[in-house]
Amino acid sequence: MERALELAERGRGTTHPNPVVGAVVTTPKGTVVGEGWHERAGGPHAEVVALRAAGGRAKGATLHVTLEPCARFGRTPPCVDAIVGAGVAKVVVGTRDPSQLGSDRLRELGVEVELLDLWEARRQNEAWLTWSRLERPFVTYKVAVTLDGRVAVPGSRWVTGEESRRLVHELRARSDAVAVGMGTVRAEAPRLDARDVDASRQPRRLAFGRGPLPEGSELELRARVPEEELRTLAREGVQSLLLEGGPTLATAFLERDLVDKLLVFVAPTLGGDGPHFVRDLERSVGLRRMTVRAVGPDLLVEAYIHEP
């Protein structure tokens, strides 16, 4: 399964709107006889690629796949049919697909299924899984703060270092949409595009709040309540939304329980004055899966409010 997860990442950036998926076929003795990953939307799925590579050696073998095989016709035939047709004896699934019943169908057709429900497999497709299950984008709130939680440093344009700022541009390049609030629009006129990084496409750039937008702004105004806008964005194919707004936007989304993940870049500085990154909340917000890593001189705290 670790190898299948590695293979899945080779499709990152080319499979949208589909998830990334990897697959490995092994004999009863554990010998790898076929590998594959989903390369592009409309192309063969990872299971089919791996089974083709295995050929006749797939009969009686085990298929390890990061996401539950599809059971319905879409742009390609069901992977369940290919698995049964190849004579696979067992399928090991990294995590369930909320839009499919592939495991149930495989069992009905006599194939043994083991569902692992791995965190690594869920995280790998966190945006797609949330979009499929909740019909809204996976929302990440990103903020740069001082050690005392301020969102500005007196006398400085930047809070965090160059490495953190570059990583933010990489995050934008991997997101379907990036958004700020109207306060940030008026104060900073942000561009919100991905610059000086490898970006196969630019994200949609949004402003939440009441308009009008300043003259010349290239942002899209989203003036309705966040729940309605998220549903609309999901219907338009937006699976991942990166929020970069200030305290007002952060508080609005947190109060409505619409933030899935936090990315807090912490600078080795005491701001001493200025607003904190979130205003007073009516209730506390529990965090899960919290990790901390260095990004240049800064620390990046990553935590989930809702696991995928």
Side-chain angles (χ1 to χ4, degrees):
M1 188 58 69
E2 288 182 4
R3 176 59 176 165
L5 289 166
E6 292 176 4
L7 291 168
E9 284 301 319
R10 297 186 183 183
R12 181 74 62 187
T14 62
T15 65
H16 194 277
N18 294 352
V20 295
V21 184
V24 176
V25 181
T26 61
T27 67
K29 293 184 178 181
T31 303
V32 174
V33 294
E35 294 184 340
W37 66 94
H38 185 40
E39 296 184 18
R40 66 186 185 282
H45 291 185
E47 302 94 316
V48 172
V49 177
L51 291 171
R52 287 175 180 172
R57 295 172 294 181
K59 187 174 180 60
T62 296
L63 172 68
H64 308 258
V65 61
T66 56
L67 185 67
E68 185 175 20
C70 60
R72 297 192 299 268
F73 273 91
R75 297 171 71 175
T76 59
C79 289
V80 165
D81 293 354
I83 293 167
V84 173
V88 170
K90 180 178 179 180
V91 176
V92 181
V93 176
T95 191
R96 276 198 177 277
D97 179 342
S99 66
Q100 300 284 340
L101 295 172
S103 295
D104 295 341
R105 182 59 178 156
L106 285 169
R107 292 189 180 103
E108 291 173 359
L109 296 172
V111 179
E112 181 184 353
V113 178
E114 180 181 358
L115 177 63
L116 300 180
D117 191 28
L118 293 176
W119 164 245
E120 294 85 352
R122 285 189 282 134
R123 179 177 178 175
Q124 189 171 62
N125 282 305
E126 60 189 14
W128 185 85
L129 288 168
T130 298
W131 176 74
S132 298
R133 186 177 68 254
L134 301 181
E135 297 182 342
R136 67 161 176 80
F138 181 86
V139 178
T140 299
Y141 175 60
K142 183 280 303 178
V143 64
V145 301
T146 60
L147 190 59
D148 53 344
R150 313 286 181 171
V151 293
V153 175
S156 175
R157 179 183 178 186
W158 307 111
V159 175
T160 51
E162 182 178 347
E163 294 90 341
S164 293
R165 298 198 298 274
R166 178 179 176 82
L167 180 53
V168 169
H169 283 277
E170 293 175 359
L171 291 169
R172 290 177 180 176
R174 296 199 295 263
S175 300
D176 294 330
V178 183
V180 293
M182 283 301 299
T184 300
V185 172
R186 297 185 181 107
E188 303 178 13
R191 291 166 55 182
L192 302 184
D193 55 346
R195 302 186 296 276
D196 302 320
V197 296
D198 184 16
S200 58
R201 62 190 175 106
Q202 288 291 335
R204 289 176 61 176
R205 294 168 291 162
L206 316 175
F208 283 95
R210 295 180 180 179
L213 289 167
E215 184 177 352
S217 174
E218 296 182 356
L219 307 186
E220 302 175 34
L221 181 63
R222 317 299 296 206
R224 295 177 299 172
V225 296
E227 293 88 345
E228 293 181 11
E229 293 293 358
L230 291 184
R231 286 193 293 269
T232 298
L233 289 169
R235 289 193 295 269
E236 295 170 353
V238 174
Q239 297 179 10
S240 55
L241 173 64
L242 179 66
L243 292 182
E244 294 192 19
T248 300
L249 186 67
T251 303
F253 271 73
L254 286 167
E255 292 259 285
R256 290 172 166 83
D257 199 23
L258 295 175
V259 176
D260 299 295
K261 183 165 72 172
L262 293 178
L263 294 176
V264 182
F265 291 85
V266 184
T269 306
L270 293 174
D273 192 15
H276 289 91
F277 75 93
V278 65
R279 304 192 192 284
D280 291 344
L281 298 171
E282 294 181 357
R283 58 179 178 80
S284 62
V285 178
L287 303 178
R288 306 177 180 88
R289 306 276 184 180
M290 190 164 71
T291 60
V292 181
R293 65 182 175 96
V295 181
D298 308 317
L299 294 178
L300 172 56
V301 181
E302 176 180 319
Y304 287 80
I305 297 174
H306 302 295
E307 295 185 15

